[in-house]
Amino acid sequence: MDETGKQTTLWASVRDALEADLAAGHYAPGDKLPSEAQLAARFCANRHTVRRALASLAEAGIVHARRGAGVFVTARPTRYRIGRRTRFHQNLHAAGMHPEKRHVRLETRPSDMREAQALGLEPGAPVHVWEGVSVADGTPIALFRSVFCATRFPELKEAIAQTHSVTAALARCGLDDYTRRETRLSVSIADAIKARHLMLDPGAPLLRSVGINVDAQGRPVEYGRTWFAGARVELVVADE
């Protein structure tokens, strides 16, 4: 019975018990909950009942399911600042989180039309391309692709491989500062590949950022595209 005297259904009791566990801090944001089988055994219920309880928590935004991985406690969105100086590691440290960048691809190849136009190059000019996953406290929050002029920065690819940081790698190549000239934001959805990298379901909402960074003379340095996991990031656009 609940405090109104009405009988509480089993699935609601399971939901309330799990919500109490979360409120007590038994599971932290990002933690994986026990499996349906484990929860069914704990609450002496069938899996359908457990599934309904988890669905109710998901509707409230308290947990979320990852296909093939399980059900996880929803983490608070990462505040990510986009301004004249957008720096991944600084952003995450400022949010009290541990930053990490995982390599997906690092290569030198001819530029395509869009890359050449953004960087002020002739189509087909050589560029360094770095693709990877941005991670906050172990959770993927974005998939990125950064493109640089290979002729201007011949040692950049090796520097990125060693530092895993655009800022540090450019500093090694003699460029100590750069700023954001423009940022364009749009909404897209995760295809199968992006979903895999970001540990999302295909079709999950993404925030797409396209930016161009320039040096003090206004020459393009980096052409970047980033796909943020929509539910995990809060973009903050700043003047500075």
Side-chain angles (χ1 to χ4, degrees), residues 222-237:
E222 175 189 6
Y223 171 55
R225 281 175 282 179
T226 305
W227 295 265
F228 293 95
R232 299 179 192 158
V233 176
E234 181 183 64
L235 297 182
V236 180
V237 179

Side-chain angles (χ1 to χ4, degrees), residues 7-19:
Q7 185 174 0
T8 304
T9 58
L10 182 55
W11 73 265
S13 295
V14 173
R15 177 202 60 201
D16 293 345
L18 290 173
E19 194 166 3

Side-chain angles (χ1 to χ4, degrees), residues 128-172:
H128 300 308
V129 181
W130 183 27
E131 291 184 3
V133 179
S134 298
V135 179
D137 285 348
T139 299
I141 61 169
L143 182 66
F144 66 86
R145 178 183 301 147
S146 294
V147 183
F148 311 85
C149 175
T151 303
R152 182 179 180 186
F153 303 109
E155 308 301 325
L156 185 64
K157 186 169 71 171
E158 180 180 352
I160 287 175
Q162 294 173 352
T163 65
H164 288 214
S165 165
V166 168
T167 302
L170 286 172
R172 286 194 180 188

Side-chain angles (χ1 to χ4, degrees), residues 188-195 198 200-206:
S188 64
I189 61 173
D191 59 23
I193 295 174
K194 290 183 178 66
L198 294 173
L200 299 170
D201 289 334
L206 302 177

Side-chain angles (χ1 to χ4, degrees), residues 23-37:
H26 297 169
Y27 301 101
D31 282 354
K32 181 180 178 180
L33 293 183
S35 68
E36 286 184 2

Side-chain angles (χ1 to χ4, degrees), residues 74-215:
T74 300
R76 61 183 175 87
T78 300
R79 290 176 60 86
Y80 195 88
R81 182 184 176 92
I82 295 180
R84 291 189 67 244
R85 288 178 174 80
T86 300
R87 306 290 190 262
F88 170 72
H89 287 82
Q90 289 180 8
N91 270 337
L92 270 292
H93 284 309
M97 308 182 82
H98 174 71
E100 179 187 355
K101 285 200 171 182
R102 299 172 183 168
H103 284 308
V104 172
R105 176 171 68 156
L106 182 59
E107 66 180 21
T108 303
R109 59 158 173 78
S111 58
D112 62 29
M113 186 72 69
R114 184 182 301 174
E115 293 163 348
Q117 182 179 8
L119 293 173
L121 307 173
E122 291 294 325
V127 290
H128 300 308
V129 181
W130 183 27
E131 291 184 3
V133 179
S134 298
V135 179
D137 285 348
T139 299
I141 61 169
L143 182 66
F144 66 86
R145 178 183 301 147
S146 294
V147 183
F148 311 85
C149 175
T151 303
R152 182 179 180 186
F153 303 109
E155 308 301 325
L156 185 64
K157 186 169 71 171
E158 180 180 352
I160 287 175
Q162 294 173 352
T163 65
H164 288 214
S165 165
V166 168
T167 302
L170 286 172
R172 286 194 180 188
C173 295
L175 184 66
D176 292 326
D177 191 28
Y178 57 92
T179 57
R180 180 65 58 92
R181 187 178 76 189
E182 67 177 56
T183 301
R184 285 174 284 152
L185 301 174
S186 60
V187 177
S188 64
I189 61 173
D191 59 23
I193 295 174
K194 290 183 178 66
R196 248 181 116 73
H197 283 305
L198 294 173
M199 299 177 65
L200 299 170
D201 289 334
L206 302 177
L207 295 172
R208 181 173 178 265
S209 167
V210 180
I212 298 176
N213 289 322
V214 298
D215 62 16

